[in-house]
Amino acid sequence: MFRKQNHKNKLIKNIDGFLIQASKSSDFKTLHLDKPNIELFFFSTLIDEETLNHFLLLPLQEHSPFENLNDVIKHIPISEILLCSENPEAGEKIREGHILIRLKSDKTNFALVNVKNSKRGLRENNDTENEFSVVGPKLGFIEDIETNMKLLRHQFSGSKLIFEELTIGSMTTTRVVIGYIEDITNSEHVNTVRQRLHDLDLDFVESALIEQTITDHTNTPFPLFLSTERVDRVAYTLLLGQVIIICDGSPYVITGPSTIFDFFISPEDYYLPWIVGSFFRIIRFFGVFFSIFATPLYVAVLTHHYVIIPKDLLGPIIESRANVPFPPFLEVIFLEITIELLREAGARLPTKVGQTLGIVGGIVIGQASVEAALSSNVLLIIVALSALASFTTPIFKMANTIRLLRFPLVLLAAGWGGFGIIAGFTLMLGHLLRLKSFGTPYLAPIFPFRITDFRDSLIRSPFRYTTTRPSFLRPQKKRRYQVNEGKDEFDDE
């Protein structure tokens, strides 16, 4: 308790410092009432506006002027009012949904009135549908920007979380908010996001449209910004030093700068022991490579390199392809397009119907194609496993990219075999080396190579090894937290 109190004293030395810091955020409001000679300070995303208007502003205007702060409190029909001066917990109270009231003639004494917004509770938002996890919170954003800002406000103490609001769109005038933590996020990243949003000249604004128009590279299938509906994921990216963009009318929040590893990290990794979390993360990377290269390797081996097939496996492959009249290339294209059609049809239909169509359609079409000698059963297994492996990617947009990459590699494998696959992978790697997200290399920490940043990329290291923020984000504060390892009480015996 003593340590927690010292932390609050360091965070908010006095109420004036808190008010100056909080005023940098667009959702922090200051009302100056001339007739009652009163000042009010509050976060608009955390209070109930109806209570403010009817039970606070109206009585203050009707019973003014006031001689002192006690006279003000008498006319406020709200039960929870705290009268204090230089309270180190005042900033925490404002962050919880209190309004600070003080006379303009008396800056030392103030009242904290509880007008917390209980109607717009945390359970009004939807659960995360596209980024589901078994372990951990399932709190997701909704289409209302005020609620989304409130959800993030509840994740952080103090006033370091800054929201800057913009209005974009010549026809829609959509509210867009830039969010960051002031003493952590690199100011260059904030200025880059701010400048790119100011330069937008659009008639209609939506989260996906913003993501595509402010990107560093438009001619790439890879998503350069992470778009998520999870509150815990956005809070984590803010703590690392990234910038977020919230768009009114969209349940997705854009975060950046992002690297390719961010799209394979699930929040569930941090709610499990590090060994288990690292195992699942490695499984995802294996699934990605299998999904991209499995069918191209099948085409390359059966078309150009059939001599490397083991004798024990050669018999089953010949038997399965004995009646197939098509070359491996057309066989693979047929099944891959069939899988994509089933995916698209299932996504466009209602949930229960789509799931049934995907399962039944896959079984029926797969069995029928084998019996009709349109494909081999060996390829059917490979394509099914490849499609299944692509679902291991936590972010939907990256999963779409992985689905797309298989087709050009299959074409190259059909034309040049293994050399074509290597050439395609080399071109893909060269393209990834050129990509940047808000000026940050997309392949970091591989390029530029930062060995210390591998602690939370390919694997999820124990928390005692992830005490610093990634160096490629260039945060203002390098250290995140400090771990005091416990000592066994029997070590000295």
Side-chain angles (χ1 to χ4, degrees), residues 157-361:
S157 62
S159 57
K160 298 296 184 180
L161 177 60
I162 305 298
F163 288 133
E164 296 182 10
E165 185 173 332
L166 306 173
T167 301
I168 305 176
S170 58
M171 300 297 292
T172 58
T173 60
T174 306
R175 297 171 60 194
V176 178
V177 169
I178 304 172
Y180 59 94
I181 299 181
E182 187 181 37
D183 59 348
I184 295 179
T185 307
N186 190 296
S187 58
E188 293 184 6
H189 295 155
V190 179
N191 293 334
T192 300
V193 177
R194 188 186 296 121
Q195 183 62 44
R196 293 186 183 182
L197 290 178
H198 276 295
D199 292 342
L200 290 181
D201 185 13
L202 303 171
D203 55 351
F204 170 75
V205 176
E206 204 274 336
S207 177
L209 186 59
I210 292 177
E211 183 179 354
Q212 297 178 49
T213 51
I214 68 172
T215 182
D216 299 61
H217 304 270
T218 56
N219 299 321
T220 177
F222 292 92
L224 299 183
F225 305 117
L226 194 148
S227 183
T228 178
E229 60 179 348
R230 294 184 63 102
V231 177
D232 57 345
R233 183 188 283 272
V234 173
Y236 179 72
T237 59
L238 285 170
L239 290 173
L240 290 182
Q242 295 179 332
V243 186
I244 67 171
I245 301 175
I246 311 173
C247 182
D248 195 17
S250 174
Y252 288 90
V253 175
I254 303 171
T255 68
S258 301
T259 67
I260 193 171
F261 292 101
D262 294 336
F263 296 90
F264 303 102
I265 295 176
S266 172
E268 200 172 21
D269 297 343
Y270 302 98
Y271 303 127
L272 298 172
W274 75 272
I275 297 178
V276 179
S278 298
F279 172 75
F280 288 148
R281 190 175 295 184
I282 293 173
I283 288 293
R284 290 189 208 110
F285 285 111
F286 172 78
V288 168
F289 281 97
F290 183 86
S291 179
I292 294 176
F293 294 104
T295 49
L297 284 173
Y298 175 86
V299 173
V301 169
L302 292 188
T303 305
H304 300 278
H305 313 293
Y306 48 86
V307 294
I308 68 173
I309 301 176
K311 293 182 179 180
D312 296 336
L313 189 60
L314 188 60
I317 292 178
I318 294 176
E319 183 179 353
S320 66
R321 286 189 46 81
N323 299 320
V324 178
F326 307 112
F329 167 70
L330 293 180
E331 186 184 5
V332 168
I333 291 295
F334 169 72
L335 280 183
E336 288 286 2
I337 293 179
T338 303
I339 291 293
E340 295 302 323
L341 289 175
L342 286 174
R343 280 179 172 177
E344 285 299 309
R348 302 296 175 263
L349 292 173
T351 305
K352 294 183 179 180
V353 179
Q355 292 175 351
T356 305
L357 176 67
I359 297 173
V360 177

Side-chain angles (χ1 to χ4, degrees), residues 27 44-45 49 120 144-151 165 175 248:
D27 63 330
S44 60
T45 53
E49 293 184 2
R120 188 184 292 157
D144 181 52
I145 194 171
E146 294 288 342
T147 302
N148 294 341
M149 293 167 67
K150 175 186 175 182
L151 291 172
E165 185 173 332
R175 297 171 60 194
D248 195 17

Side-chain angles (χ1 to χ4, degrees), residues 1 6 35 63 69 73 80 123 139 156 160 165 175 190 208 216 280 319 347 361 368 373 430 443 446:
M1 183 66 183
N6 285 341
K35 187 177 179 181
H63 298 90
L69 200 56
I73 296 175
E80 189 174 345
R123 288 291 97 189
L139 206 58
F156 298 91
K160 298 296 184 180
E165 185 173 332
R175 297 171 60 194
V190 179
D216 299 61
F280 288 148
E319 183 179 353
L443 280 184
I446 295 179

